[in-house]
Amino acid sequence: MDEPLAAECAGVVRIHPIPTGEVHALRGVDAAFPRRTISAVVGPSGSGKSSLLRILAALDRPSAGSVLLDGTPLDQLTGRGLRRLRRRAVGYMFQRPSDNLLPDATAVEQVAQAGRVRGLSRHDAGVAARDLLGELGLADREDHRPDELSGGQQQRVALAQAVVGQPALVIADEPTAELDSASADLLLERMRALVADGVAIVLSTHDARVVDAAERTLSLHRGAVAEETTEAGALAVIDDAGRVQIPPGVLPRFPDRRAVVTVDDDGLHLRPPTDGGRHPGPGPTGGGRHPGADPADGHRQRSPATDAKDPT
């Protein structure tokens, strides 16, 4: 039987009210985050990365749509229930290493305290903290406070703090942004080793090294999933209404936001109109799909696209 997902969201919308109206940070995001996997969330500033991470971490609720965290629907929880689930099931790493740690606690105290929050006994939390710090190459730094550690060492302590007690999901917001190249590579190497224990790690990043280290990449564009990349290759994303989001790199080929659609035994195909989109082009369906065909027919064979999202 397949292992349960660490987190899953369907049709997630996030609207932020502002004095002049509303900002749609997320527009119907569908995504799944398997255990034992590093997933990278990428996209330009304003694409919705931070909003998605905060919702996955149970720090915010979606304006619409549903989220499952460790199998629990977030919309069925009270504020207290949400906090309880967050403490048990989520580890969070901030971009700045020092923001993750208490200034007056040693490395082993930081990690053990996080273990206690996740339900470990005092003894088990201490043992787990020392074991993790050893795995992360910090056995000789466990009695040091943050101001006695380098940025890379602080971020590895933060990683130990995030994974102790085996939460379902670890969220890391730009975890390598403040690190030098060697420290970033070491952190990513340790992350790859730790996901084998069953944790899912979700990273937002602009760092190509992080993307290379991830098994899955979710590309956001204007609040929607533009593309998902797995070991199987780049996949276009189809929502529940049958709309397919065009990857940003392909969108310029459709300047009029219209496409000629044809369906054959190999799948569904799209190409730019030759006349600016005013009339359907040639094809077995006269520019449309076969009568009665499902709009998603054949999508698994290709990476087509139909619906461009409005800017936020």
Side-chain angles (χ1 to χ4, degrees), residues 227-246:
E227 186 176 60
E228 182 177 345
T229 304
T230 68
E231 293 177 352
L235 306 172
V237 178
I238 309 169
D239 68 14
D240 289 341
R243 291 183 296 258
V244 183
Q245 178 70 17
I246 292 182

PDB file of all heavy atoms in Angstrom, residues 227-246:
ATOM      1  N   GLU A 227       3.935  24.536 -13.472  1.00  0.00           N
ATOM      2  CA  GLU A 227       4.589  23.320 -13.943  1.00  0.00           C
ATOM      3  C   GLU A 227       5.032  22.512 -12.741  1.00  0.00           C
ATOM      4  O   GLU A 227       5.385  23.058 -11.698  1.00  0.00           O
ATOM      5  CB  GLU A 227       5.793  23.680 -14.819  1.00  0.00           C
ATOM      6  CG  GLU A 227       6.476  22.508 -15.485  1.00  0.00           C
ATOM      7  CD  GLU A 227       7.600  22.967 -16.406  1.00  0.00           C
ATOM      8  OE1 GLU A 227       8.536  23.623 -15.900  1.00  0.00           O
ATOM      9  OE2 GLU A 227       7.523  22.696 -17.623  1.00  0.00           O
ATOM     10  N   GLU A 228       4.999  21.205 -12.882  1.00  0.00           N
ATOM     11  CA  GLU A 228       5.533  20.314 -11.860  1.00  0.00           C
ATOM     12  C   GLU A 228       6.585  19.439 -12.521  1.00  0.00           C
ATOM     13  O   GLU A 228       6.345  18.873 -13.596  1.00  0.00           O
ATOM     14  CB  GLU A 228       4.421  19.451 -11.269  1.00  0.00           C
ATOM     15  CG  GLU A 228       4.889  18.528 -10.162  1.00  0.00           C
ATOM     16  CD  GLU A 228       3.748  17.739  -9.540  1.00  0.00           C
ATOM     17  OE1 GLU A 228       2.581  18.121  -9.777  1.00  0.00           O
ATOM     18  OE2 GLU A 228       4.018  16.753  -8.846  1.00  0.00           O
ATOM     19  N   THR A 229       7.741  19.333 -11.897  1.00  0.00           N
ATOM     20  CA  THR A 229       8.817  18.527 -12.444  1.00  0.00           C
ATOM     21  C   THR A 229       9.150  17.401 -11.478  1.00  0.00           C
ATOM     22  O   THR A 229       9.373  17.635 -10.293  1.00  0.00           O
ATOM     23  CB  THR A 229      10.078  19.371 -12.695  1.00  0.00           C
ATOM     24  OG1 THR A 229       9.748  20.470 -13.553  1.00  0.00           O
ATOM     25  CG2 THR A 229      11.168  18.543 -13.358  1.00  0.00           C
ATOM     26  N   THR A 230       9.136  16.168 -11.984  1.00  0.00           N
ATOM     27  CA  THR A 230       9.496  14.997 -11.191  1.00  0.00           C
ATOM     28  C   THR A 230      10.573  14.239 -11.949  1.00  0.00           C
ATOM     29  O   THR A 230      11.056  14.680 -13.000  1.00  0.00           O
ATOM     30  CB  THR A 230       8.275  14.086 -10.962  1.00  0.00           C
ATOM     31  OG1 THR A 230       7.902  13.500 -12.222  1.00  0.00           O
ATOM     32  CG2 THR A 230       7.089  14.880 -10.404  1.00  0.00           C
ATOM     33  N   GLU A 231      10.927  13.066 -11.431  1.00  0.00           N
ATOM     34  CA  GLU A 231      11.907  12.254 -12.135  1.00  0.00           C
ATOM     35  C   GLU A 231      11.393  11.832 -13.506  1.00  0.00           C
ATOM     36  O   GLU A 231      12.167  11.487 -14.397  1.00  0.00           O
ATOM     37  CB  GLU A 231      12.257  11.028 -11.286  1.00  0.00           C
ATOM     38  CG  GLU A 231      12.992  11.389  -9.999  1.00  0.00           C
ATOM     39  CD  GLU A 231      13.262  10.173  -9.133  1.00  0.00           C
ATOM     40  OE1 GLU A 231      12.743   9.087  -9.467  1.00  0.00           O
ATOM     41  OE2 GLU A 231      13.985  10.308  -8.131  1.00  0.00           O
ATOM     42  N   ALA A 232      10.054  11.864 -13.693  1.00  0.00           N
ATOM     43  CA  ALA A 232       9.471  11.503 -14.982  1.00  0.00           C
ATOM     44  C   ALA A 232       9.568  12.637 -15.991  1.00  0.00           C
ATOM     45  O   ALA A 232       9.276  12.440 -17.173  1.00  0.00           O
ATOM     46  CB  ALA A 232       8.003  11.111 -14.796  1.00  0.00           C
ATOM     47  N   GLY A 233       9.958  13.831 -15.553  1.00  0.00           N
ATOM     48  CA  GLY A 233      10.071  14.973 -16.447  1.00  0.00           C
ATOM     49  C   GLY A 233       9.127  16.092 -16.058  1.00  0.00           C
ATOM     50  O   GLY A 233       8.513  16.066 -14.990  1.00  0.00           O
ATOM     51  N   ALA A 234       9.000  17.093 -16.930  1.00  0.00           N
ATOM     52  CA  ALA A 234       8.147  18.248 -16.661  1.00  0.00           C
ATOM     53  C   ALA A 234       6.704  17.910 -17.019  1.00  0.00           C
ATOM     54  O   ALA A 234       6.424  17.384 -18.097  1.00  0.00           O
ATOM     55  CB  ALA A 234       8.624  19.454 -17.468  1.00  0.00           C
ATOM     56  N   LEU A 235       5.794  18.223 -16.094  1.00  0.00           N
ATOM     57  CA  LEU A 235       4.381  17.918 -16.278  1.00  0.00           C
ATOM     58  C   LEU A 235       3.577  19.204 -16.195  1.00  0.00           C
ATOM     59  O   LEU A 235       3.787  20.017 -15.299  1.00  0.00           O
ATOM     60  CB  LEU A 235       3.890  16.963 -15.180  1.00  0.00           C
ATOM     61  CG  LEU A 235       4.676  15.660 -14.999  1.00  0.00           C
ATOM     62  CD1 LEU A 235       4.179  14.933 -13.759  1.00  0.00           C
ATOM     63  CD2 LEU A 235       4.545  14.775 -16.226  1.00  0.00           C
ATOM     64  N   ALA A 236       2.653  19.392 -17.135  1.00  0.00           N
ATOM     65  CA  ALA A 236       1.676  20.466 -16.996  1.00  0.00           C
ATOM     66  C   ALA A 236       0.658  20.025 -15.946  1.00  0.00           C
ATOM     67  O   ALA A 236       0.442  18.841 -15.729  1.00  0.00           O
ATOM     68  CB  ALA A 236       0.992  20.754 -18.320  1.00  0.00           C
ATOM     69  N   VAL A 237       0.022  20.990 -15.288  1.00  0.00           N
ATOM     70  CA  VAL A 237      -0.889  20.690 -14.188  1.00  0.00           C
ATOM     71  C   VAL A 237      -2.316  20.959 -14.619  1.00  0.00           C
ATOM     72  O   VAL A 237      -2.637  22.026 -15.135  1.00  0.00           O
ATOM     73  CB  VAL A 237      -0.534  21.539 -12.947  1.00  0.00           C
ATOM     74  CG1 VAL A 237      -1.507  21.265 -11.813  1.00  0.00           C
ATOM     75  CG2 VAL A 237       0.891  21.230 -12.507  1.00  0.00           C
ATOM     76  N   ILE A 238      -3.192  19.967 -14.409  1.00  0.00           N
ATOM     77  CA  ILE A 238      -4.600  20.057 -14.780  1.00  0.00           C
ATOM     78  C   ILE A 238      -5.419  20.210 -13.511  1.00  0.00           C
ATOM     79  O   ILE A 238      -5.273  19.424 -12.571  1.00  0.00           O
ATOM     80  CB  ILE A 238      -5.053  18.786 -15.528  1.00  0.00           C
ATOM     81  CG1 ILE A 238      -4.101  18.469 -16.681  1.00  0.00           C
ATOM     82  CG2 ILE A 238      -6.479  18.929 -16.020  1.00  0.00           C
ATOM     83  CD1 ILE A 238      -4.306  17.103 -17.295  1.00  0.00           C
ATOM     84  N   ASP A 239      -6.284  21.234 -13.448  1.00  0.00           N
ATOM     85  CA  ASP A 239      -7.113  21.393 -12.260  1.00  0.00           C
ATOM     86  C   ASP A 239      -8.404  20.590 -12.407  1.00  0.00           C
ATOM     87  O   ASP A 239      -8.642  19.907 -13.411  1.00  0.00           O
ATOM     88  CB  ASP A 239      -7.390  22.876 -11.965  1.00  0.00           C
ATOM     89  CG  ASP A 239      -8.291  23.546 -12.995  1.00  0.00           C
ATOM     90  OD1 ASP A 239      -8.928  22.837 -13.811  1.00  0.00           O
ATOM     91  OD2 ASP A 239      -8.353  24.790 -12.984  1.00  0.00           O
ATOM     92  N   ASP A 240      -9.259  20.651 -11.372  1.00  0.00           N
ATOM     93  CA  ASP A 240     -10.473  19.839 -11.356  1.00  0.00           C
ATOM     94  C   ASP A 240     -11.451  20.211 -12.459  1.00  0.00           C
ATOM     95  O   ASP A 240     -12.323  19.426 -12.822  1.00  0.00           O
ATOM     96  CB  ASP A 240     -11.173  19.956  -9.992  1.00  0.00           C
ATOM     97  CG  ASP A 240     -10.395  19.255  -8.896  1.00  0.00           C
ATOM     98  OD1 ASP A 240      -9.554  18.402  -9.239  1.00  0.00           O
ATOM     99  OD2 ASP A 240     -10.642  19.550  -7.704  1.00  0.00           O
ATOM    100  N   ALA A 241     -11.334  21.417 -12.999  1.00  0.00           N
ATOM    101  CA  ALA A 241     -12.232  21.849 -14.074  1.00  0.00           C
ATOM    102  C   ALA A 241     -11.688  21.500 -15.460  1.00  0.00           C
ATOM    103  O   ALA A 241     -12.300  21.825 -16.467  1.00  0.00           O
ATOM    104  CB  ALA A 241     -12.473  23.357 -13.977  1.00  0.00           C
ATOM    105  N   GLY A 242     -10.523  20.835 -15.504  1.00  0.00           N
ATOM    106  CA  GLY A 242      -9.944  20.465 -16.784  1.00  0.00           C
ATOM    107  C   GLY A 242      -9.038  21.515 -17.387  1.00  0.00           C
ATOM    108  O   GLY A 242      -8.536  21.345 -18.497  1.00  0.00           O
ATOM    109  N   ARG A 243      -8.801  22.633 -16.671  1.00  0.00           N
ATOM    110  CA  ARG A 243      -7.899  23.670 -17.185  1.00  0.00           C
ATOM    111  C   ARG A 243      -6.453  23.234 -16.976  1.00  0.00           C
ATOM    112  O   ARG A 243      -6.120  22.648 -15.954  1.00  0.00           O
ATOM    113  CB  ARG A 243      -8.158  24.996 -16.475  1.00  0.00           C
ATOM    114  CG  ARG A 243      -9.486  25.633 -16.808  1.00  0.00           C
ATOM    115  CD  ARG A 243      -9.622  26.979 -16.125  1.00  0.00           C
ATOM    116  NE  ARG A 243      -9.638  26.824 -14.686  1.00  0.00           N
ATOM    117  CZ  ARG A 243     -10.756  26.870 -13.940  1.00  0.00           C
ATOM    118  NH1 ARG A 243     -11.924  27.052 -14.517  1.00  0.00           N
ATOM    119  NH2 ARG A 243     -10.701  26.728 -12.636  1.00  0.00           N
ATOM    120  N   VAL A 244      -5.621  23.557 -17.933  1.00  0.00           N
ATOM    121  CA  VAL A 244      -4.214  23.214 -17.872  1.00  0.00           C
ATOM    122  C   VAL A 244      -3.407  24.498 -17.828  1.00  0.00           C
ATOM    123  O   VAL A 244      -3.602  25.395 -18.650  1.00  0.00           O
ATOM    124  CB  VAL A 244      -3.783  22.370 -19.084  1.00  0.00           C
ATOM    125  CG1 VAL A 244      -2.319  21.966 -18.959  1.00  0.00           C
ATOM    126  CG2 VAL A 244      -4.655  21.137 -19.194  1.00  0.00           C
ATOM    127  N   GLN A 245      -2.506  24.598 -16.873  1.00  0.00           N
ATOM    128  CA  GLN A 245      -1.697  25.802 -16.728  1.00  0.00           C
ATOM    129  C   GLN A 245      -0.471  25.707 -17.628  1.00  0.00           C
ATOM    130  O   GLN A 245       0.293  24.741 -17.571  1.00  0.00           O
ATOM    131  CB  GLN A 245      -1.260  25.953 -15.264  1.00  0.00           C
ATOM    132  CG  GLN A 245      -0.365  27.145 -14.981  1.00  0.00           C
ATOM    133  CD  GLN A 245      -1.116  28.456 -15.093  1.00  0.00           C
ATOM    134  OE1 GLN A 245      -2.341  28.461 -15.067  1.00  0.00           O
ATOM    135  NE2 GLN A 245      -0.408  29.546 -15.215  1.00  0.00           N
ATOM    136  N   ILE A 246      -0.293  26.703 -18.477  1.00  0.00           N
ATOM    137  CA  ILE A 246       0.864  26.728 -19.377  1.00  0.00           C
ATOM    138  C   ILE A 246       2.113  27.166 -18.609  1.00  0.00           C
ATOM    139  O   ILE A 246       2.087  28.172 -17.900  1.00  0.00           O
ATOM    140  CB  ILE A 246       0.614  27.699 -20.544  1.00  0.00           C
ATOM    141  CG1 ILE A 246      -0.478  27.149 -21.457  1.00  0.00           C
ATOM    142  CG2 ILE A 246       1.884  27.939 -21.336  1.00  0.00           C
ATOM    143  CD1 ILE A 246      -0.754  28.015 -22.664  1.00  0.00           C
TER     144      ILE A 246
END
